[in-house]
Amino acid sequence: MAACAAAVQAQPGTARFAFQYARALHRAGQAPAAARLYEWAAGDGFAPAQYALGIMLQTGDGVPADPAAARRWLDAAAAQGYAADPVVASGPPAAATPVAAVADPSPTDLPDGLEALADALDGVRRDASRDRFDLDAVPLPAGAPVEAVTAWVADQTALVPYRGSLRGARGTLIDRTGNSLDRALLLAALLSAAGYEVRLARTTLDAATAAALLDAYAAPPDEPAPALSAEALAQRLTAAAGGAVPDLPAALARAAADDRAVADAVQRRSDAMSRDLLARLGDVAVGTAAADRAAAIAALQDHWWVQVRRTGGLLPGWTDADPSAGTVGHVDAAETLSPTDLPTALQHAVVLRVVVAFWVDGGLREETVLEHRLVPADLLDRPVVLRQLPVSALPAFRATPGADATETALAAATEAWVWQPELSIGGEVFADRLFTTAGTVLPANADSLRELGLGPTLFGDTNAVSQDAVSMLSDEPVAAEPVAPDEANAPVRVAAEWLAIEIDVPGAAPVLQRRTVFDLLGPVARSASPVPAPTLDRAERQRRALALLREVDIQIAGASTLADFVRGVLARDMAALLRALAPALRDGAEPTAEPTVGLPRIPLPLYRYAALRFAGTAARPYLDRPNVSLLWTGLDGERADALQPWQQYDIVANDVGVVAADGFAARLAQGVRDSVTEDELAGTGVPGSTASLYEAGLAAGRPWLLLDPADPGAVGGLALPDAARAAIAADLAGGAYVVAPPSPVETDAGPKVAWWRIDARSGTTLGMTPHGGADMVENAFLVAQGVQTGLCFMMLGRAIAGNDAGGAAAGMACAAGGVGGAVAGGIGGGVIAMVTAMLATGILIGTG
């Protein structure tokens, strides 16, 4: 952005530079600003800008949707012989639907009523309270006085203590809280939009001034009611759909009622459990209030503000703009820098790594096959999903009519010997390396395919967005069919894989978490010397394939959610999904072989979790570091009868900050609420969830035991499985109190084990269950609901083999992360059920 801005400033009449600057702004999530530059370059006749602006107007991305204007600009680009800039088409902007998924909307694209429904969803996004999440919609006129803009930030946002930039400008606008750096970034963005030249300034305050800032804390403004009530929204969507979705009114009414019931249950159950746990802990939290205050004061001493360049007058130079000036007074800057030059060390981030463990000669060799740094401020409306593709088996995923597509695909994945992990961020795909079951790790590119004997043209352009190995595969035959290694007797074997999640907070040591994808050895065997060779019979290879084929939606939160913002994102993505489904929705249409390319990702369960976890909380907690939640989706192969849809919530990090006298109690209450929220969303009483097991123990008169980290040997008194006792011992060694049952809790699904982990220093609380020995997935459980599954190719295979357009559309929705509705044939069956359930489940969450 800095380079393009400098180019435009140096040559303001060059349309190509304006277009490139617009692309950079667009990718950074500043869609309205990008649209203005696109329009300038488009008016100058620059065809790529005309095309890009047309797409924005067509999808309502950052600007009000205007199909007529979109058509004019797209026609103007086409008149110059320009259809699509490969750069624009292959690099979707941060807040836009990937271009590959955008169809030119017309009355014939969708069945009667569904096009009107898509248009109504466009209207929902336009009508949202944009001033709460769109920097360009903040009610400040161009050229507004610096003092007025500074006062607006001071009045509309609350100062809270943490170090570094977590939210960024837009996240601070949405959350209405932020530390001095994030508030300064918001102020700098607003002043820049008003035409001022700005820079950031920094100094270290004395402890007394920082304490005064803490004592002057005022809660942020209450979140306004959504622009449309749930009832009004339901009426609008129902009227638009007409008779095309006959079940929509009833489904929306049920969804609204369910949303209210879940919120009430979360509040009631979490309040009761929090009171019981605090009573059980007694006075153990005494002394944490002083430590909380000292940490908050230390964070507030790192103070940031904005300086604005004065031009003309007697004293040209820089003047201060500080929302906290009333408390801080005038201070001198120790350093200054541009808002676009913030060092990486000052950013909160999450580094995601996919690590494969190869068994070699009685030992283990670990290789990182994917690594990506994720910044919360860049992910506000960009879904993140991790998937792993069986490169060598992809041709078999094309079902043959009459074949059992599910068994064919699973058999191919079981025998796959080349795999490629990839991370999709807002539709943009990143891949680092691929690996083979023979222990080879290579860059994910065409040269590696040639080296493996697969050739660069094996399967087809399965992902037009990426430039990795998979995107270079096509249908052309290879010179010779490569031979898969004999794993059962190989000297090198793929034994395990996990996600390594590193949470980086400025000024603090990284926090490392690990989540097992599969483990063919187990923790005991992995720690042995020598390490025994893993068994790789067909059953184990199939179990590994099912684990690798699971998709992981990753929610990295740096700001609290806003109902209207979430509703707008969902409305945008659902409208785009409806239009992308148009070919399969039209009666008699032939579904394509790769219908899932470019679909918007809609991880509804994570949206619901984020919307519910802070709703109505008295302590007003705020995020002071990245919170990480995962949603694992795939098929469960453990049942003897058949594969079943499988989902699993997983809270990786749920730390929060509070400005309260008793921060320990507030954090404990929030942690319990997070666990109860998961339990409610999955279905109350899910076997194995900490919340349900704890309640069962209380109801049966078998209260759980409190274990003190000062007495780690107390775990020996628990009659629990070895894996659970080892995990509890690790929690105690890490400085946490544990509240655990003396023995497994009997449930209809058999004996289950779970416990509460309560950090002795902060009160941060999380419900825990053992998962893979020492590798724990917190609050993990199985959910067989809806049609969502990470193995969407199986449903698509069935649909293609049977020429079932309805099933294909439902499978496409599955690939987009949607839930609801059975895969049924015909326009009147699974497709409408899917559309109805997605609207009902998604558009109302957190907004009733």
Side-chain angles (χ1 to χ4, degrees):
M1 289 195 297
C4 291
V8 170
Q9 186 174 10
Q11 299 185 46
T14 304
R16 183 168 65 87
F17 290 171
F19 167 71
Q20 296 288 13
Y21 189 20
R23 283 185 59 226
L25 291 168
H26 207 174
R27 180 62 59 81
Q30 301 180 34
R36 289 195 294 271
L37 280 171
Y38 280 142
E39 187 171 14
W40 182 88
D44 203 43
F46 193 64
Q50 293 171 339
Y51 176 83
L53 181 60
I55 293 296
M56 291 187 74
L57 291 167
Q58 185 183 75
T59 60
D61 171 30
V63 295
D66 188 338
R71 186 72 272 157
R72 288 195 300 272
W73 286 118
L74 293 172
D75 287 346
Q80 299 187 56
Y82 184 92
D85 181 353
V87 173
V88 175
S90 65
T97 300
V99 173
V102 177
D104 178 19
S106 70
T108 59
D109 271 341
L110 291 166
D112 291 343
L114 292 186
E115 179 59 45
L117 185 56
D119 290 340
L121 289 168
D122 291 338
V124 169
R125 180 164 173 80
R126 287 196 301 271
D127 294 342
S129 305
R130 302 190 69 85
D131 60 305
R132 292 283 306 200
F133 57 83
D134 185 344
L135 290 166
D136 291 294
V138 173
L140 293 168
V146 172
E147 296 77 10
V149 182
T150 306
W152 188 91
V153 173
D155 293 340
Q156 294 297 315
T157 67
L159 176 68
V160 291
Y162 57 88
R163 291 185 180 276
S165 176
L166 172 62
R167 293 160 173 70
R170 192 168 173 232
T172 305
L173 178 66
I174 292 172
D175 196 299
R176 296 300 167 106
T177 65
N179 67 352
S180 61
L181 175 53
D182 277 336
R183 291 173 98 204
L185 289 169
L186 172 60
L187 178 56
L190 295 175
L191 288 170
S192 295
Y196 296 99
E197 182 182 352
V198 299
R199 68 185 186 188
L200 299 178
R202 182 187 195 184
T203 196
T204 301
L205 300 177
D206 59 71
T209 304
L213 280 174
L214 181 63
D215 294 335
Y217 168 77
D222 290 333
E223 180 178 328
L228 287 173
S229 68
E231 292 76 12
L233 177 59
Q235 291 173 2
R236 175 184 291 191
L237 297 177
T238 300
V245 190
D247 295 332
L248 187 57
L252 291 176
R254 287 194 302 270
D258 176 67
D259 194 57
R260 289 189 292 269
V262 167
D264 291 344
V266 166
Q267 191 73 48
R268 182 184 68 256
R269 295 176 66 202
S270 58
D271 284 351
M273 274 184 266
S274 297
R275 287 194 300 268
D276 187 82
L277 284 172
L278 284 170
R280 198 173 300 278
L281 286 165
D283 296 330
V284 300
V286 173
T288 60
D292 277 350
R293 181 175 176 83
I297 289 171
L300 290 170
Q301 286 184 264
D302 184 26
H303 186 67
W304 296 77
W305 68 99
V306 175
Q307 292 185 335
V308 185
R309 183 184 289 278
R310 296 190 301 266
T311 56
L314 297 176
L315 297 172
W318 296 88
T319 186
D320 291 338
D322 187 350
S324 299
T327 302
V328 172
H330 173 75
V331 289
D332 293 325
E335 64 173 311
T336 61
L337 70 159
S338 167
T340 60
D341 292 338
L342 204 63
T344 299
L346 289 172
Q347 292 179 326
H348 291 246
V350 173
V351 180
L352 180 72
R353 299 180 180 92
V354 178
V355 181
V356 179
F358 298 97
W359 177 86
V360 186
D361 244 357
L364 292 177
R365 185 187 88 230
E366 297 179 6
E367 295 267 4
T368 297
V369 292
L370 176 69
E371 178 173 334
H372 200 82
R373 183 174 182 270
L374 298 159
V375 178
D378 296 339
L379 303 174
L380 292 167
D381 53 3
R382 302 181 71 194
V384 178
V385 61
L386 174 70
R387 56 175 60 92
Q388 303 195 61
L389 303 180
V391 177
S392 59
L394 286 177
F397 283 18
R398 287 189 168 177
T400 303
D404 186 327
T406 299
E407 295 304 323
T408 299
L410 182 55
T414 300
E415 302 303 325
W417 60 280
V418 182
W419 289 84
Q420 176 186 292
E422 66 177 31
L423 193 66
S424 172
I425 305 174
E428 188 175 7
V429 176
F430 300 88
D432 289 342
R433 301 200 281 177
L434 50 78
F435 67 94
T436 76
T437 55
T440 304
V441 177
L442 296 169
N445 58 35
D447 290 339
S448 296
L449 295 178
R450 293 189 185 94
E451 182 176 336
L452 295 172
L454 296 175
T457 56
L458 175 66
F459 182 58
D461 189 5
T462 61
N463 197 325
V465 180
S466 66
Q467 293 300 316
D468 52 42
V470 170
S471 71
M472 300 173 186
L473 303 173
S474 80
D475 273 334
E476 298 178 17
V478 295
E481 185 70 22
V483 178
D486 175 15
E487 286 194 82
N489 302 297
V492 179
R493 307 179 194 181
V494 177
E497 184 184 271
W498 56 84
L499 306 185
I501 302 166
E502 176 185 313
I503 302 172
D504 293 337
V505 175
V511 175
L512 299 175
Q513 300 281 355
R514 193 169 82 169
R515 294 296 185 265
T516 301
V517 178
F518 69 88
D519 185 357
L520 303 182
L521 290 168
V524 175
R526 279 193 282 108
S527 61
S529 181
V531 178
T535 301
L536 282 165
D537 57 23
R538 180 174 176 78
E540 287 295 276
R541 295 200 308 275
Q542 177 172 303
R543 186 164 70 90
R544 182 181 66 188
L546 285 169
L548 286 167
L549 286 166
R550 289 170 185 158
E551 295 185 345
V552 188
D553 286 283
I554 304 168
Q555 186 178 71
I556 299 176
S560 301
T561 56
L562 176 76
D564 247 11
F565 173 67
V566 175
R567 179 186 280 180
V569 171
L570 287 169
R572 177 199 70 193
D573 291 345
M574 288 180 181
L577 180 62
L578 278 175
R579 292 183 174 117
L581 294 175
L585 288 170
R586 285 198 300 268
D587 194 16
E590 290 281 344
T592 60
E594 281 83 350
T596 63
V597 174
L599 293 178
R601 185 77 179 181
I602 309 176
L604 291 177
L606 290 180
Y607 281 126
R608 294 200 75 192
Y609 169 73
L612 283 168
R613 64 182 299 226
F614 293 134
T617 53
R620 302 294 289 266
Y622 64 91
L623 299 187
D624 61 356
R625 64 197 62 215
N627 277 201
V628 182
S629 302
L630 310 179
L631 182 70
W632 300 74
T633 307
L635 292 182
D636 175 16
E638 300 299 321
R639 307 183 187 187
D641 50 349
L643 297 173
Q644 297 291 331
W646 180 94
Q647 266 188 346
Q648 179 174 284
Y649 288 93
D650 179 1
I651 300 177
V652 176
N654 69 335
D655 304 79
V656 296
V658 289
V659 181
D662 192 349
F664 187 98
R667 292 188 187 92
L668 181 145
Q670 183 60 52
V672 171
R673 183 186 181 93
D674 291 341
S675 295
V676 172
T677 298
E678 282 191 322
D679 191 42
E680 283 290 332
L681 291 179
T684 306
V686 171
S689 72
T690 308
S692 63
L693 292 181
Y694 189 65
E695 287 174 322
L698 294 177
R702 298 181 71 242
W704 291 11
L705 305 178
L706 172 65
L707 306 183
D708 193 314
D711 182 18
V715 71
L718 300 177
L720 299 177
D722 291 344
R725 288 194 294 133
I728 291 172
D731 286 342
L732 293 171
Y737 290 96
V738 169
V739 178
S743 60
V745 179
E746 292 297 331
T747 73
D748 292 341
K752 300 291 182 181
V753 177
W755 62 94
W756 295 106
R757 183 184 70 191
I758 305 167
D759 187 275
R761 296 173 295 275
S762 67
T764 296
T765 298
L766 199 55
M768 306 289 293
T769 61
H771 179 82
D775 301 321
M776 294 171 291
V777 169
E778 298 148 3
N779 264 27
F781 36 76
L782 303 182
V783 185
Q785 60 181 14
V787 300
Q788 180 169 351
T789 161
L791 304 186
C792 295
F793 64 86
M794 292 188 177
M795 292 192 304
L796 290 170
R798 286 199 189 99
I800 294 167
N803 193 24
D804 170 13
M812 292 167 70
C814 158
V819 297
V823 180
I827 283 294
V831 180
I832 300 305
M834 175 273 298
V835 171
T836 301
M838 287 189 69
L839 288 171
T841 305
I843 206 68
L844 295 176
I845 64 169
T847 64

